[in-house]
């Protein structure tokens, strides 16, 4: 394993993208309303600009097709987005899941490996046939990363659905391959999103990945904190990793003040991820985080 | 606690998800997997510990399994489930259960005669909102029932092109088998069993040879009538979205996987429900699980299955018999639409 040469600074507040793509864990109705509201890219850019004005400097987003348009916009206006970073989270799973239902696993690979299987013969085609899964993973990562060309992406995440599947299957060596490739090819830090934080941390350590960036569900009501809130809290207190708290508001079930104050008992938590489509909510949440979950002062 | 030996047949989308969930259960070893796709089995060979098989009969003979998950195309269920039951293995099988009810009936009888745990993958029964809806209906909170609507929409087939077995009705493809079965099964367990089909439309939208939408008028055993509205070619939905609505003389309940909305004409003190709308969220109703993948319900159903295997006693949720009934209703709809 490579020594951990990077120690990327994480902003206290990370701005998420669920609201833009109709993802809402507490209401299908709201998610459809959001999908209508953010139909065009300009409406997404408007909210991103409002978040930037409110102090947000990191946008954590899935590799949804429409993010490519947002990236084009950012490249076209470099002055407007100075210091702005994106944390890509790959893959956008529904794209692949729907494809697998329709085309099967081989059909999906054929569709999403750039070019046809035959066309990418040189780099990946044969690798697939021979079962060189590391190579296949690298090709898919590169395909997903294309849209972020020339954009600062200091951390690259794998989505929870994939992390948790690999975790469940016990295929920990895949994490090792991923970790090494992100560090070597992109020279940035890998990150992991999960709903099973304690088990994931154990798994990563077992293959020599130490002090990883892990984005996990952390909230006062224990929502999606698999394995129980007590075990999750114990890991947050005692283990060495760089937690990012998501679903802090338990999909809207908790009041922001108590939700963010809850995080205060875990000084290792470096960042809070939240998404919102409202200028006022964004400002309020940032204020609440600063007030109730302040960054510890260096002594 | 004895370590249970588990196997899986079929490593497609659902099979992989089940494989991960089964492996993650405490006290369960996924010792064998069976599939014919080399790209998948080679990945197991390289990264996991399970034995790989291309022939499920051989796997059943050699592995001395306690339990098996079958996640293959529907047309293969009968032979595989039968072989597993005959070997004395507890079976979890994906939905829909069988392609024809005569075969399904044999399997129900076989499982019952052997006293084996038998469960199907109608996962909506492990979603807290639907469970709460069932409880509220049983408690009679909306009075005499007047209408139901069971619906499901999603973006599975959104353009014209040939696909997998899901586009062949002879193999259990099509929206009726794949999507509508979920709604029918949910309806029969939460509200009441369908006993008569009063009219049906099976519509092809993009597919050829199978329907992409199912619209039916249905009468239930409790006398309630209503509509089944299912369309898997609706890309305004990001993923499959299933809902049940029941209207009564004293109110209405609208339920999906995220929200339970209750409207009452008058306050119900015993249930703590006010007059007007009350909304309950999945964040409060979700079943806590030890390991999470894609939704609590997928893990909760496997936890329930494993628990029953450990007790050596068949469960009461998602039994083969319930799945067989859904298969019969599907046959009724096909006959009605013909």
């Amino acid at each position: 394993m490579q020594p951990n040469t990077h120690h990327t600074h994480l902003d206290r507040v990370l701005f998420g993208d669920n609201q833009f793509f109709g993802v809402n864990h507490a209401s299908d109705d709201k998610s459809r309303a959001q999908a209508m509201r953010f139909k065009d890219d300009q409406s997404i850019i408007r909210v991103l600009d409002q978040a930037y004005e409110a102090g947000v400097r990191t946008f954590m987003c899935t590799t949804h097709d429409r993010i490519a348009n947002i990236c084009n916009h950012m490249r076209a206006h470099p002055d407007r987005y100075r210091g702005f970073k994106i944390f890509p989270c790959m893959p956008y799973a529904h794209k692949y899941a729907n494809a697998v239902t329709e085309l099967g696993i081989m059909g999906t690979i054929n569709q999403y490996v750039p070019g046809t299987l035959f066309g990418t013969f040189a780099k990946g085609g044969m690798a697939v046939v021979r079962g060189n899964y590391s190579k296949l993973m690298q090709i898919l990562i590169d395909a997903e990363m294309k849209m972020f060309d020339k954009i600062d992406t200091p951390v690259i995440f794998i989505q929870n659905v994939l992390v948790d599947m690999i975790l469940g299957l016990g295929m920990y060596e895949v994490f090792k391959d991923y970790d090494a490739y992100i560090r070597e090819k992109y020279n940035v830090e890998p990150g992991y999103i999960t709903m099973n934080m304690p088990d994931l941390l154990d798994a990563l350590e077992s293959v020599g990945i130490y002090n990883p960036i892990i984005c996990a569900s952390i909230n006062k009501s224990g929502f999606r904190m698999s394995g129980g809130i007590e075990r999750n809290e114990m890991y947050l207190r005692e283990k060495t990793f760089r937690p990012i708290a998501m679903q802090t508001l338990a999909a809207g079930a908790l009041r922001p003040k108590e939700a963010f104050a809850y995080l205060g008992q875990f000084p290792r938590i470096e960042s809070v991820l939240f998404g919102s489509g409202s200028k006022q909510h964004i400002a309020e949440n940032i204020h609440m985080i600063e007030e109730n979950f302040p960054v510890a002062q260096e002594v | 606690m004895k370590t249970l030996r588990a196997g899986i047949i079929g490593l497609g989308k659902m099979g992989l998800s089940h494989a991960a969930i089964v492996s993650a259960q405490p006290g369960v070893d996924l010792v064998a997997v069976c599939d014919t796709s080399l790209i998948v089995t080679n990945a197991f060979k390289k990264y996991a510990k399970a034995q790989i098989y291309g022939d499920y009969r051989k796997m059943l003979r050699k592995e001395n399994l306690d339990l098996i998950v079958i996640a293959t195309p529907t047309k293969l269920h009968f032979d595989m489930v039968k072989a597993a039951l005959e070997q004395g293995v507890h079976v979890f099988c994906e939905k829909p259960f069988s392609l024809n009810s005569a075969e399904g009936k044999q399997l129900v009888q076989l499982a019952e005669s052997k006293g084996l745990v038998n469960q199907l993958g109608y996962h909506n029964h492990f979603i807290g909102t639907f469970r709460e809806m069932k409880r509220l209906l049983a408690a009679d909170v909306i009075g005499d029932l007047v209408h139901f609507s069971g619906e499901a929409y999603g973006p599975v087939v959104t353009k014209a092109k040939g696909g997998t077995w899901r586009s062949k009705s002879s193999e259990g493809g099509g929206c009726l088998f794949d999507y509508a079965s979920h709604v029918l099964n949910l309806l029969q367990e939460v509200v009441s069993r369908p006993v008569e089909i009063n009219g049906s439309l099976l519509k092809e939208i993009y597919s050829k040879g199978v329907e992409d939408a199912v619209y039916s008028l249905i009468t239930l055993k409790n006398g309630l009538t209503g509509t089944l509205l299912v369309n898997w070619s609706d890309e305004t939905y990001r993923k499959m979205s299933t809902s049940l609505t029941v209207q009564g003389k004293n109110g209405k309940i609208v339920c999906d996987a995220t929200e339970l909305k209750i409207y009452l004409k008058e306050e119900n003190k015993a249930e703590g429900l006010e007059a007007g709308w009350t909304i309950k969220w999945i964040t409060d109703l979700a079943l806590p699980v030890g390991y999470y993948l894609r939704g609590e319900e997928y893990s909760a159903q496997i936890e329930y299955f494993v628990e029953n295997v450990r007790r050596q006693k068949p469960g009461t949720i998602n039994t083969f018999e319930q799945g067989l009934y859904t298969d019969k209703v599907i046959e009724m709809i096909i006959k009605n639409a013909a």
Side-chain angles (χ1 to χ4, degrees), chain B residues 74-211:
Chain B
T74 316
K75 69 164 181 177
L76 301 172
H77 288 176
F78 178 70
D79 288 338
M80 291 173 172
V81 172
K82 189 159 174 272
L85 292 173
E86 281 168 348
Q87 195 79 37
V89 179
H90 302 288
V91 177
F92 180 103
C93 179
E94 257 313 322
K95 46 64 59 178
F97 182 34
S98 64
L99 273 189
N100 72 71
S101 56
E103 287 183 348
K105 197 173 166 193
Q106 277 189 54
L107 299 178
V108 169
Q109 285 167 347
L110 186 58
E112 279 173 6
S113 71
K114 294 218 162 215
L116 292 167
V117 180
N118 54 94
Q119 192 177 323
L120 296 170
Y122 286 109
H123 52 75
N124 288 315
H125 298 302
F126 291 86
I127 295 177
T129 48
F130 290 120
R131 284 201 170 181
E132 179 68 357
M133 180 180 194
K134 182 175 177 168
R135 195 186 66 76
L136 290 172
L137 286 175
D140 204 22
V141 296
I142 54 171
D144 291 344
L145 305 183
V146 295
H147 179 75
F148 76 84
S149 184
E151 303 173 45
Y153 306 102
V156 179
V157 179
T158 56
K159 47 184 177 269
K161 72 175 152 182
T164 61
W165 62 274
R166 284 172 207 274
S167 59
K168 295 189 190 95
S169 88
S170 61
E171 297 184 17
C175 176
L176 178 57
F177 276 112
D178 199 293
Y179 250 47
S181 58
H182 271 298
V183 187
L184 290 169
N185 189 271
L186 192 59
L187 179 68
Q188 82 182 39
E189 299 307 316
V190 173
V191 189
S192 179
R193 292 193 165 191
V195 290
E196 194 186 343
I197 309 301
N198 307 99
S200 289
L201 298 169
L202 301 183
K203 293 192 182 185
E204 288 181 9
I205 300 173
Y206 300 107
S207 298
K208 289 201 170 53
V210 293
E211 72 292 336

Side-chain angles (χ1 to χ4, degrees), chain A residues 22-279:
Chain A
V23 182
N24 187 304
H25 299 292
S27 167
D28 279 354
D29 283 350
K30 273 185 206 146
S31 73
R32 276 191 289 278
Q34 286 165 338
M36 289 175 208
R37 185 177 155 206
F38 293 107
K39 184 170 82 86
D40 59 77
D41 299 330
Q42 272 311 315
S43 55
I44 295 179
I45 289 164
R46 199 174 309 125
V47 172
L48 276 181
D49 287 352
Q50 288 165 353
Y52 189 89
E53 275 158 35
V56 167
R57 289 296 177 273
T58 304
F59 180 39
M60 186 154 157
C61 62
T62 49
T63 49
H64 194 287
D65 292 343
R66 288 181 61 198
I67 291 294
N69 304 338
I70 307 300
C71 292
N72 288 338
H73 174 80
M74 288 175 63
R75 274 188 293 267
H77 302 90
D79 292 341
R80 212 151 108 201
Y81 299 98
R82 206 160 289 286
F84 203 67
K85 302 173 284 289
I86 290 186
F87 288 178
C89 308
M90 62 179 63
Y92 177 64
H94 282 290
K95 178 170 80 178
Y96 293 101
N98 287 331
V100 169
T101 302
E102 200 193 332
L103 305 170
I105 286 174
M106 269 318 281
T108 302
I109 290 171
N110 276 330
Q111 176 154 332
Y112 287 107
V113 168
T116 62
L117 196 58
F118 188 72
T120 48
F121 201 84
K123 194 176 181 194
M126 275 313 282
V128 176
V129 177
R130 286 196 194 121
N132 186 340
Y133 297 93
S134 298
K135 204 85 202 164
L136 176 59
M137 179 188 74
Q138 292 173 10
I139 290 166
L140 290 171
I141 291 173
D142 291 351
E144 300 255 325
M145 282 303 292
K146 260 190 188 145
M147 68 172 87
F148 301 104
D149 186 36
K150 298 192 179 69
I151 285 174
D152 189 17
T153 57
V155 185
I156 298 173
F157 285 89
I158 335 182
Q159 291 282 15
N160 54 295
V161 66
L162 203 54
V163 168
D164 290 334
M165 181 169 286
I166 295 165
L167 174 70
L169 292 170
M171 298 181 172
Y172 306 156
E173 293 292 316
V174 177
F175 292 135
K176 205 169 153 180
D177 282 353
Y178 172 78
D179 206 275
Y181 188 64
I182 295 297
R183 287 177 199 281
E184 280 161 25
K185 167 86 193 262
Y186 293 94
N187 199 28
V188 299
E189 212 166 332
Y192 303 86
I193 307 175
T194 184
M195 300 289 177
N196 303 285
M197 178 268 282
D199 288 346
L200 176 68
L201 184 62
D202 290 350
L204 293 176
E205 288 184 352
S206 78
V207 290
I209 298 171
Y210 299 109
N211 201 21
I213 296 174
I214 296 181
C215 179
S217 198
I218 303 175
N219 56 70
K220 201 182 169 186
S221 55
F223 178 61
R224 302 256 152 100
M225 293 169 77
S226 312
I229 191 168
E230 295 80 11
R231 182 155 174 250
N232 276 265
E233 289 182 342
M234 194 259 276
Y235 272 62
L236 286 169
R237 281 198 197 92
E238 296 175 9
K239 302 282 179 169
T240 304
F241 67 115
R242 306 183 63 195
I244 295 171
M246 67 171 173
Q247 295 188 322
T248 303
L249 302 167
L254 292 169
R255 311 294 317 155
K257 192 182 161 86
E258 60 169 333
F260 296 128
Y262 169 78
L263 303 180
Q265 57 184 306
F266 309 110
R268 276 191 217 279
I269 297 175
E270 295 189 28
S271 306
V272 183
L273 170 66
F274 79 88
S276 168
S278 140
K279 185 179 174 179

